[in-house]
Amino acid sequence: VTELAGRVRLAVEPAALGNPGWAALRLVTSSGEELTAETDAGRPERDLAAREERLRAKFRTLAGTVLPPAEVAALEEELLGFDRLDDLRAPLARCAVA
């Protein structure tokens, strides 16, 4: 970690000032390839369908780090109908990761 810390630089982007939900990442690999990503979690989505899709995409991304795609899809559908479930064992069992 100490070796890596010496190769990392942190720079404040002026666009981020006053917007705590905004973040950008720029990564330059040892081969010189530049990778970038940007997000604005502080920006409220006025379109409710777009807001829901953003939340669902976030769920899929996070759940996909520990569950296979089929399990993520099944869990997503179960959670969308959470208020209509008679039994919580099935969705909870999907969350049990070895």
Side-chain angles (χ1 to χ4, degrees):
V1 173
T2 305
E3 181 183 328
L4 179 61
R7 299 182 350 218
V8 174
R9 286 185 301 126
L10 175 65
V12 175
E13 175 65 38
L17 298 175
N19 187 355
W22 185 82
L25 176 68
R26 179 174 159 260
L27 176 72
V28 180
T29 66
S30 57
S31 66
E33 180 182 8
E34 186 173 311
L35 307 168
T36 60
E38 185 177 317
T39 187
D40 187 356
R43 178 192 54 193
E45 186 67 64
R46 293 175 192 240
D47 179 348
L48 293 181
R51 184 185 303 182
E52 179 181 339
E53 182 49 41
R54 229 173 122 178
L55 181 59
R56 290 176 74 155
K58 180 178 180 177
F59 170 81
R60 288 183 214 115
T61 298
L62 295 173
T65 64
V66 294
L67 295 172
E71 289 293 310
V72 171
L75 181 57
E76 180 180 4
E77 290 307 311
E78 287 172 339
L79 292 176
L80 285 170
F82 190 79
D83 58 330
R84 295 181 301 278
L85 290 176
D86 293 327
D87 188 345
L88 298 177
R89 283 180 279 201
L92 292 176
R94 291 186 196 286
C95 296
V97 179

